[in-house]
Each structure stands twice: as structure tokens, then as C-alpha cells.
Amino acid sequence: SIRDLQPLAPASLVHIVRKCLEKNPDNRWQTARDLKTELIWARDEPKETTPSTTAAVSHRVPGPQRHVVALGIATVAGLLVTGTVWRAPIPPAPARLTTRLSLNFPPGVTLDIPTPSTTSFAVSDDGRRVAYVGVRNGNKSLYVYFLDTANTLEIPTTEGAGSPAFSPDGEWIAFSRRGRVSKVAVEGGSSMLLCSDCGASILTWLPDNRLLLAGLERRLEQVRIQDSPFAERPTEPVTVLKEDEEAHHRPALSSDGSLLFTVLRGGWYSSVNSVAVSRRNDDGTPGQSHEVVPNATSARLIGDDALVFARGASFFASRFDLGQRRLVGEQVPLSLRVQHAAFSAAPMYALSSGGTLVYAAPPGDRRLIWVDRQGREEPIETGARFYAQPRLSPDGTRVAVYQPDGDRDIWVFGLKPPRLIDRLTRGPDRDSMAVWSPDGSRIFFSSDENKVCSIAADHSGAILTLFKGPRGQRIKPLAITPDGATLLVSLQQAPNGQIDLGTLSTGANPRLTRLLAEPYDERDARLSPDGRWLVYQSEESDEPQIVVRPFPAVTSGRTVVSAGFGQLPIWSRDGREIFYRARDGTLMAVAVSAGQTFQHSAPVAVVNPVHTLHEVNTAPTYDVSPDGRRFLFIRAPELDIRSLTIVQNWDVEVNAILSKSQRAD
């Protein structure tokens, strides 16, 4: 009894406490309101003497007894809380609601649309931070957005960064830059080198503190991250690239230690791709992999029993049996559309382990436009498509383009009525980098990276293979001599090899010759109309420059014609100008005199059409009309993306969609 502890406790309080402690729950107070009413009554009721007290009676509770009542009320309140928690079931956690937010960039900043098969943003595992590559005045750097404070921080030591990836604790960001991989704290500071010559452009920092590296035509490799002591570490293989596989991308670690990843056998929209799963052997070597989802890429786990993946431009979700490592149940379409990478059409989205989705909404498809020297624009009525690498025919009436959002094929569009459209190539091989023959009758192109082929421009014949190099060698046609006898080509040994220039004869017995092999990259070369001069993009200095050399005697002279940054040079058809693009996409012109000797004037700005594609290395992004009065550009709306969409608790929405589908079945 409470009287054993407090002899002066009033009878009403003793009754209240006794009822709180009844063994049968039905005999206890049923609501806190009832108990509160009784406690108020006990506090305020007139108090009578008991046999153990003096005969004096007071209408007001005396001081010592008032203290006992107050102490008793506090005790009962504690008992109420304890008893209620003990009796009642634990209330369910508040429902997790799916919430959509817009992350707006700082003024003047747009999202970087990367060239390789990667994304330019990441979300931390706890969903509290988003890192993205922003572009301001043509310069790229990392920005971090903090959801709890709604603040954005630009990290000044990350100029030129790409492919951000958060550490598992969300305190570091790894990024790639010119083949080197570094990390930097989310609050800024000096960056630390993790890998100096890994050639990776696509990064994934796994929860077990391994940084996975991916890229074009390579398997997955890893760098083990240790914060102390810090030291640069070598890469180790994680997967084995089979003969029919182009690359491994987008790894995701499951709770049982197995790794899911994309197997590319064609373009990102190709039906021959798949999602595979693999576990490492006990000795640490890469284990065997097997297919989980055919015709799919970019898989992400939601918990251990659901999988989201892309199929072309569409997304699907399905239940996933982790033990059996297979899909179970229906593959349900999701209403999700995301922006894709500039050259590969790889979907750009990020998903945290806590279910926070981050993506860039696609603003629209690309279009071809004419722009004259006064900046006047004229749309070309060939429709909205994922255009890339435009090359005008010698007479300017047709354009050959590469479309990476299908099976990566070459198409030809007529620029004058009737606007004929012809798909020249088909199949999973990457067919790109079209070069017209001098008379416009044939188109030479790169196929499957290591082959040079040709086809009649009117599609009247079969594809002919001119040259096939070893697997892993990349060879791309860039230009052709006026007599059509020799192609100027780009040469690279994948995955990390230097880019050099070479020549390939087009006769009955094609012969490949290395033309220029300096200790740095040479890109985007073109020949003067008379075939006597070579212009190209040199990577000798910190930023690319436009260089002219005699051809084919390239070692007999060298002249830099750009002022600062320069890329993607093109000769005018009359040989009197060289055009190139500055860092911000401005088209620059250099007047030249290219006879027995070479002379040039200072470059001048010509036009700067907004939102036109211009940052694709070793691939044309514009062309010049035969009369030199107009320029063909690709209008790319994705270059003006100024926000990201954040979906908190997206996993709740996906699981609800899957549960609804199961009930319907």
C-alpha cells in the first residue's frame, strides 16, 4: 500500500494508485482523462482526520499532507505512463509519406550533362545530401546541397570534376577528373588523390568502403578506401569481361555481399543488355556471374525484395528473391522519365539505400538548326531526335548523324524537300563517326569501335568492312583526303590508352599507319580542302588548343591558332578559315592563308547559339555549310537544366505499386 511509504496519503489517492495497479487490465483506469479527473478531485477534496492524526480539522490541506498529495500525484503520473506503455501495444511508427521536392541550382548554374555512360549527381545513403556537377560560365565544379538546412556549397577545389559518389557515411565525395580519381570532404577543403592513372570516369562508393571504377570497354575494378593512413592504392579486378560484353556499369551491393551490375552488349537502349549478379570467390578473385534480368540496365535494389531497372527509356520494378537471385512476380512499369548522358543515352538517376530518389527530368528532345553569321536561327524540319555527330554532305543537301538512343546507328536526313530519312546501319554494334566521301556517294564510319566500314550513302548496297583492328583498339574516321584514297583516323588502345592520329588507305589492301604519336592526346583532326594541312585539338597543355601542321609531313612544322581553350576544329570549304569552339561553346573563326606556307590572324567570335551541344570529345557537334554562310548546330534543351527532382521515401511508392499489382493478380 502507498500508506506504508506515505502514512499521510489520503484515502482517495490510495484508491487511485490501487486501481492503477490492478492485475486485471479491465479493472484499471481505461482512459487518461478519467485518471486526470480523479487526481484533480483528490488534490482539491476537503481532507478529514484519521485516527492516527490530531482532532483538529482544517478545510485546507495542511502543508505536510499537501506535500504527500503532490508526491502521490507525481507517482501516479509515473505509474500511469509505465502502466499504459506496459498494457497498450507499442504504437506504430508514423507513416512514411512519399514527398517530392525541387532542388533549384544557384543563379547561373546548369547541370553538367556528361559525355560518358554516367551521371553528374549523387545522393548520400541517408538521403540528407545531394552532390552535383554544376556548370557556370563554361566551368564545371562540384556543388553539395544539404536538405536539412536547404544550403548549397560550391567546393572550389573540384574544377573539372565529374561522376560524384558519396562515401557510406556521407562525409566524403569521390570524383573523377582527367583519368584521376580523388576525394574531398563535403564541407570543402583540399582534395586527396585516390588513383592517379585509373582512367575511370564512372564511380560507385559501396557501403563496404570499396570504390568501384567503370568506363568504356572495361570490367569493374575497385580501389580500397582507407582514411588513415592515407596512400594511393592500386586497382583490383571485381568482374570478368566476357568476349561478347562491351563493359560493366552501375554496380549495386546487396545485403548478402553479391554485386548486381549492368552488362552492356549494345547501346543503353539495346535489347541485348542485361543485369547480372556476381559474388567474389573466397580468395578475393572475381566470381562467376549470371543473368538476373534480360534486356535491362541500371538496376537498383529497394530493400532486399524489390528491384528497379531501366529498359530503354522506361523504368520497371519487380519483386526480387535475393536468396535465389532472380525476379519473382510481374515486372511493373513506373511513371519515371529521366535525362540521359550526352553521348551514350545512359539514364541519369540516383537512389539512396534509404529510398531517396534523385533525377533530372528531361526537358525535351534535340533538334537540328541553322545559324547564320548574324546569329539568326532557322529550325530544320527533321523532327525531334537524339542527334549527335552531324556531318554535312559535300553539297550540303544531306546530313549524316549518329543516334545513340536506339541501337547506336547512323541515319541520313535530307535538308531540302522532299526530306528523305534513311537509317543506314542496324544491329547492336556502335556505328558512329560518319565521314562522307569527296563525291558524297559513300559514308565511312566506325563500327564496334575497332572496325572501319563503308556504305553507299543512298543505302543501295551492303556494308563493307574496310579494316578491323584487335579487340580493345578504337579506330574512328575523322576526315578524308580530296582524292578519297586516304582516311585520317583517330587511334586509341582501350581502356586507358593515349589518343593518336593515323592514316588508313581505302584501296584494295588497306594499310593503317600511325601519323602523329606525341606523349599526349591529339583529337578531332580535319584536313584542309586541298589536303595539304592538318588541324587538330592538342591536349599538350592544361587546356586543349587548336594546332595546325603540314600534311602528311606533320613533323615539319607546328602552329597554335587558338587563343586559350579550343576544341572541335573545322576547315571552311574554301580553305580560308578555321572554325573551333571555345569553352562556353562560342564558335570562333581564324582567317588563314594556307598555301606553300601557313599564316593566320587572331581568332574572332562568330556566333554563340544558346543550348547547343558542344562538349563531346573526338566527335563533331556542328558543321559548316559549303558557302560558309551558315552553321549546323544541335539544339540540346538538356544543357539548360537548372534543378533536380528529389523524391523522399520513393521506396514506399514503389512497394505500394508492387503490392497493388500482386493483389490484382
Side-chain angles (χ1 to χ4, degrees):
S1 170
I2 197 171
R3 280 250 174 88
D4 294 337
L5 301 175
Q6 297 290 343
L8 296 182
S12 58
L13 184 61
V14 173
H15 169 71
I16 291 171
V17 172
R18 184 179 293 123
K19 189 166 183 176
C20 281
L21 298 176
E22 284 286 344
K23 291 184 178 180
N24 186 345
D26 293 334
N27 294 333
R28 301 185 201 129
W29 301 102
Q30 297 303 299
T31 69
R33 178 176 296 169
D34 292 342
L35 180 56
K36 177 183 177 182
T37 301
E38 291 296 319
L39 288 171
I40 293 174
W41 181 84
R43 181 192 66 191
D44 296 336
E45 70 169 337
K47 298 301 184 286
E48 298 179 355
T49 59
T50 66
S52 61
T53 64
T54 63
V57 177
S58 171
H59 182 72
R60 185 177 176 83
V61 179
Q65 191 170 343
R66 194 182 308 120
H67 172 73
V68 171
V69 174
L71 179 62
I73 291 175
T75 303
V76 171
L79 290 170
L80 171 66
V81 173
T82 304
T84 303
V85 172
W86 169 76
R87 174 177 178 264
I90 298 175
R96 295 172 60 226
L97 300 177
T98 301
T99 306
R100 284 168 166 79
L101 310 171
S102 182
L103 192 172
N104 297 317
F105 299 164
V109 175
T110 57
L111 182 67
D112 176 55
I113 306 300
T115 299
S117 307
T118 184
T119 184
S120 55
F121 50 84
V123 58
S124 60
D125 270 349
D126 59 11
R128 294 173 52 235
R129 296 163 177 170
V130 176
Y132 60 91
V133 180
V135 182
R136 192 201 300 266
N137 298 326
N139 299 310
K140 298 192 300 184
S141 59
L142 281 181
Y143 293 77
V144 182
Y145 178 76
F146 300 85
L147 270 74
D148 50 356
T149 63
N151 290 330
T152 297
L153 174 67
E154 181 180 5
I155 303 179
T157 60
T158 58
E159 296 87 350
S163 189
F166 276 101
S167 61
D169 61 6
E171 297 298 324
W172 294 87
I173 303 173
F175 61 92
S176 63
R177 179 167 54 189
R178 289 179 173 264
R180 300 156 67 94
V181 176
S182 304
K183 71 173 185 176
V184 66
V186 294
E187 300 289 349
S190 300
S191 58
M192 291 190 279
L193 185 66
L194 298 176
C195 179
S196 63
D197 190 25
C198 45
S201 57
I202 309 161
L203 309 178
T204 306
W205 204 328
L206 296 181
D208 60 5
N209 226 22
R210 288 182 292 154
L211 187 67
L212 298 193
L213 316 175
L216 295 174
E217 294 196 9
R218 62 182 293 169
R219 63 192 178 187
L220 289 172
E221 298 181 0
Q222 72 180 16
V223 174
R224 299 183 185 273
I225 307 297
Q226 298 177 6
D227 291 327
S228 180
F230 172 76
E232 185 181 346
R233 284 162 175 77
T235 61
E236 307 168 16
V238 174
T239 59
V240 176
L241 199 64
K242 299 176 183 177
E243 185 174 353
D244 66 335
E245 298 173 354
E246 289 185 9
H248 294 164
H249 287 294
R250 304 293 174 88
L253 189 67
S254 65
S255 60
D256 69 350
S258 58
L259 194 70
L260 285 90
F261 57 93
T262 292
V263 177
L264 281 184
R265 300 182 183 88
W268 283 84
Y269 282 21
S270 175
S271 62
V272 298
N273 299 322
S274 65
V275 173
V277 66
S278 173
R279 284 185 63 92
R280 295 180 67 79
N281 298 322
D282 293 338
D283 60 1
T285 57
Q288 293 293 320
S289 62
H290 70 270
E291 184 177 274
V292 175
V293 192
N295 184 18
T297 68
S298 305
R300 284 291 178 267
L301 284 161
I302 292 183
D304 276 339
D305 64 346
L307 195 70
V308 172
F309 53 90
R311 179 168 288 150
S314 302
F315 279 83
F316 295 82
S318 177
R319 291 298 178 194
F320 181 65
D321 187 328
L322 183 59
Q324 298 292 326
R325 296 178 193 159
R326 64 184 181 88
L327 296 186
V328 291
E330 184 183 0
Q331 299 178 26
V332 183
L334 302 175
S335 58
L336 177 66
R337 291 292 182 272
V338 307
Q339 180 59 46
H340 40 234
F343 183 71
S344 65
M348 296 170 58
Y349 82 107
L351 182 62
S352 76
S353 59
T356 297
L357 169 70
V358 179
Y359 69 95
D365 291 323
R366 299 173 181 174
R367 290 183 177 273
L368 297 176
I369 60 171
W370 286 114
V371 181
D372 66 18
R373 289 179 179 258
Q374 287 71 45
R376 292 186 293 263
E377 297 184 5
E378 178 188 340
I380 300 175
E381 301 302 327
T382 53
R385 297 170 179 266
F386 193 40
Y387 298 105
Q389 302 176 5
R391 293 297 294 264
L392 286 168
S393 61
D395 61 4
T397 62
R398 294 167 291 170
V399 59
V401 299
Y402 166 60
Q403 289 193 203
D405 60 342
D407 274 330
R408 304 176 303 181
D409 293 315
I410 291 176
W411 295 63
V412 172
F413 295 88
L415 299 180
K416 294 182 178 180
R419 300 184 186 277
L420 301 177
I421 300 176
D422 193 5
R423 180 179 177 179
L424 291 188
T425 65
R426 295 180 182 274
D429 289 350
R430 182 188 294 114
D431 300 324
S432 62
M433 297 298 292
V435 172
W436 294 84
S437 64
D439 61 2
S441 64
R442 298 194 70 79
I443 290 178
F444 298 88
F445 61 94
S446 171
S447 180
D448 201 23
E449 297 292 329
N450 66 331
K451 294 185 293 185
V452 174
C453 302
S454 73
I455 188 172
D458 61 1
H459 209 172
S460 59
I463 294 176
L464 304 178
T465 299
L466 184 66
F467 177 85
K468 183 177 181 179
R471 187 71 178 175
Q473 183 185 57
R474 298 176 188 158
I475 177 170
K476 299 177 181 180
L478 302 174
I480 195 166
T481 55
D483 59 5
T486 304
L487 280 170
L488 183 67
V489 297
S490 169
L491 299 172
Q492 183 183 23
Q493 190 66 33
N496 306 327
Q498 178 179 295
I499 299 176
D500 297 324
L501 297 178
T503 57
L504 178 67
S505 57
T506 61
N509 298 302
R511 186 165 62 94
L512 180 66
T513 304
R514 198 168 293 270
L515 177 70
L516 189 60
E518 307 264 324
Y520 42 82
D521 290 347
E522 301 95 23
R523 304 173 181 266
D524 306 313
R526 298 291 185 97
L527 292 171
S528 61
D530 62 6
R532 299 170 65 177
W533 297 92
L534 168 73
V535 64
Y536 65 97
Q537 175 183 319
S538 171
E539 305 284 341
E540 180 179 5
S541 60
D542 292 338
E543 58 183 13
Q545 298 176 317
I546 305 302
V547 175
V548 173
R549 291 177 182 265
F551 181 82
V554 293
T555 60
S556 60
R558 181 182 186 277
T559 304
V560 177
V561 300
S562 57
F565 185 101
Q567 63 178 356
L568 303 168
I570 296 179
W571 287 90
S572 64
R573 300 295 177 92
D574 61 10
R576 296 178 180 179
E577 288 179 291
I578 293 175
F579 302 98
Y580 69 89
R581 302 197 79 167
R583 186 188 302 275
D584 65 353
T586 298
L587 186 68
M588 309 295 292
V590 179
V592 300
S593 174
Q596 295 291 337
T597 60
F598 179 82
Q599 295 180 335
H600 71 96
S601 62
V604 296
V606 182
V607 290
N608 185 12
V610 297
H611 311 149
T612 54
L613 199 65
H614 66 272
E615 284 194 279
V616 181
N617 284 329
T618 317
T621 62
Y622 71 103
D623 210 343
V624 184
S625 65
D627 60 10
R629 296 178 179 178
R630 298 192 299 176
F631 307 94
L632 181 70
F633 290 103
I634 298 174
R635 171 63 49 77
E638 68 266 27
L639 299 181
D640 194 36
I641 294 177
R642 299 173 183 266
S643 65
L644 295 172
T645 300
I646 301 174
V647 186
Q648 295 177 310
N649 300 321
W650 188 59
D651 57 318
V652 174
E653 181 177 288
V654 173
N655 278 312
I657 292 172
L658 290 175
S659 297
K660 182 179 179 180
S661 173
Q662 289 175 324
R663 289 194 299 270
D665 292 341

